[in-house]
Amino acid sequence: MDATQSVATLIDSTTSKIQQLQYAIAQLESHSAVSLNVKWKQLEEHFHGLEKSLKERFNELEDQEKEYANEVTETEEMLENREAVVVAKELASLDRLQIKRDAALSEIFDKYKSNGVVDASSKENPDANSSKTDLVDGKNTENCNTDISPNSVLMSLCEKMDAEGLHKYISDNRKNLASIREEIPLALKGARDPFALVLNSLKDFYSGEILGLDGKKDGSLLGLRRTCLMLMESLGSLFDTSMAALNIKEQAKAIALEWKPKLDTLDIDASSGNSLEAHAFLQLLATFGLSSEFDEEEIFKLIPCVSRRRQIAELCRSLGISHKMQGVIEVLVNTGRQIDAINLAYAFGLTEQFAPVPLLKSYLKEARKTPHAKAGNMSPGAQNETNERELSALKSVLKSIEDHNLADQYPPEPLQKRVAQLEKAKADKRRAVEAAKPQSKRARASGTVHNPRAPNNFPNNFPDKSFYPTTPERYPYPYNRQYVYPIEPHHPTMMSSAPYALSPSHTTYYGNGYPVQYQPAYLH
């Protein structure tokens, strides 16, 4: 707008400029002896014509600018109206979904409160009813009747405060763990004392060792510990710690004191931020409100052991150690776990102190290092290990870029190309190894094995193959061998005579040059 005003001012000043020019020409003619032969009238008309055309063009540009501004305003209003309509539709859809969800939950809850589903056929058939009762008691989960849903079973087990049956049911239905995880909070609400039920479920947490004598993990004990952790998380999300009775808190504290020495020797690096035992201990403190009963520094040291867990941020808030997260992130950065550090930095708003992109680059740089040997002197096994480490790091970096919308700051395309190169090299090596493996002999349709073609010294290697005919192409000199013996005729004798037996080392050669070895005695 300032430029438009300045142009308008210049156009308006043209009249005064023309007058000044007229005065200058008159002065020039008065002081000159020679006439300029310039008629001012013509000059004046020329300049006024230019002035008029400029004003007309300027007015046209102003009109176009106003028209464009109006179009922009109308477009913005139209977009705002459309956006408002879309938002209104989204809110209406969310309201309808929420109403349906509330109605479904209410119906399900009323159904569970009716102490299970018992139809007319079960009343007439006592055996069927007995089998359902056994199922609810957690004693016969294999003969599951379709009339009783998993939800009603969980509800019944929680109402009966049956911690052992709850563990058995979850273990037997581990394939449906995702749905059970969603149903557990609703089932715990039906328990007479949810805190006591969950506490009773923890008694066998350290009933054995995760690793057996053969070094393999005990799947049943690992599943039991995960179930204990899931129950504590569900309870912590439902109720405030202040709702737990004083005696329950004392029992929980006794369990925590029993678990704590088992974590003193925990290797933080070996756990890789995914320690199930450390997570269970910290969740026990958070669920039953025991964090104030233990040293804050001891709790702080355990946080890096669970840094890869998805619940880490909420767990730290529940434990009341959010103010120490900067120190936790520094520990993670110093131990080469920059990905976990970035996740916590975003969760607690510390990205200014810990910039994500430099951390990702340093993580990738560390993964590409070859600490024990130069790249040119590395064995194939060490090179494969280095490539696998780099490939895993690249995928982690790409996932972090996607999760935290860092594509503008750290373009992922070069990393994706490197991932494609490493995966192609990995596939090529796998194909080369498979091609180098010895191929098994191909069986014919008759069940026999197809042997490879015999070499040129075939008769010497296989002396019993006398049925091959002699051809000039394959064996050009079958009759010139020095060791061919003539065939002597034999005449049969009486059966009572002593048999004529050839020595096993004796060899008869026929006219085709192929020897035949006689093993058994031959009766003439």
Side-chain angles (χ1 to χ4, degrees), residues 361-433:
K361 291 182 178 180
S362 66
Y363 174 71
L364 201 55
K365 182 179 179 181
E366 290 293 328
R368 288 170 172 167
K369 283 185 177 180
T370 55
H372 300 296
K374 294 182 179 180
N377 299 328
M378 293 179 66
S379 63
Q383 183 64 49
N384 291 340
E385 182 180 353
T386 302
N387 292 344
E388 284 291 337
R389 186 169 62 250
E390 182 183 358
L391 182 60
S392 177
L394 284 167
K395 291 181 178 180
S396 299
V397 170
L398 287 171
K399 183 68 167 58
S400 183
I401 292 174
E402 180 183 358
D403 291 342
H404 302 299
N405 298 321
L406 297 173
D408 294 338
Q409 305 176 43
Y410 197 177
E413 288 78 11
L415 305 181
Q416 293 170 349
K417 290 181 180 179
R418 180 57 178 164
V419 168
Q421 292 175 357
L422 291 175
E423 289 182 340
K424 183 179 182 300
K426 183 179 178 181
D428 293 342
K429 288 182 180 178
R430 187 186 301 113
R431 284 193 292 268
V433 171

Side-chain angles (χ1 to χ4, degrees), residues 75-240:
T75 304
E76 290 177 351
E77 292 178 354
M78 181 182 64
L79 292 176
E80 290 177 357
N81 293 334
R82 289 184 179 180
E83 184 179 1
V85 171
V86 172
V87 172
K89 288 182 179 180
E90 289 179 352
L91 293 176
S93 300
L94 290 175
D95 292 339
R96 287 195 298 271
L97 289 175
Q98 185 65 32
I99 292 173
K100 292 180 180 180
R101 178 178 177 275
D102 294 341
L105 289 176
S106 177
E107 182 180 355
I108 293 172
F109 188 74
D110 293 341
K111 178 181 176 182
Y112 300 152
K113 281 298 183 181
S114 63
N115 294 325
V117 179
V118 181
D119 55 10
S121 61
S122 63
K123 293 181 180 179
E124 295 175 0
N125 189 352
D127 295 335
N129 194 23
S130 175
S131 66
K132 289 181 184 181
T133 304
D134 291 343
L135 175 63
V136 173
D137 290 341
K139 300 176 183 178
N140 189 17
T141 55
E142 294 180 355
N143 300 327
C144 182
N145 193 294
T146 56
D147 290 340
I148 296 183
S149 65
N151 291 351
S152 61
V153 176
L154 290 173
M155 288 289 295
S156 179
L157 292 172
C158 291
E159 288 173 358
K160 294 181 179 181
M161 299 290 290
D162 187 358
E164 184 177 354
L166 192 61
H167 268 292
K168 186 178 186 305
Y169 177 80
I170 295 175
S171 177
D172 293 342
N173 295 274
R174 189 153 295 278
K175 291 183 179 179
N176 302 323
L177 188 60
S179 60
I180 291 176
R181 186 183 295 274
E182 297 177 357
E183 297 157 6
I184 281 291
L186 182 62
L188 288 176
K189 286 183 178 180
R192 183 175 64 258
D193 188 348
F195 287 94
L197 175 62
V198 173
L199 200 62
N200 291 335
S201 71
L202 305 179
K203 62 181 180 180
D204 293 329
F205 189 88
Y206 279 103
S207 60
E209 294 296 332
I210 288 291
L211 294 178
L213 297 177
D214 56 355
K216 296 182 178 179
K217 291 186 177 180
D218 185 353
S220 59
L221 182 58
L222 188 61
L224 182 143
R225 292 183 179 181
R226 288 174 176 168
T227 300
C228 293
L229 181 58
M230 179 179 67
L231 293 174
M232 287 192 291
E233 289 175 350
S234 301
L235 182 64
S237 65
L238 283 175
F239 303 102
D240 188 78

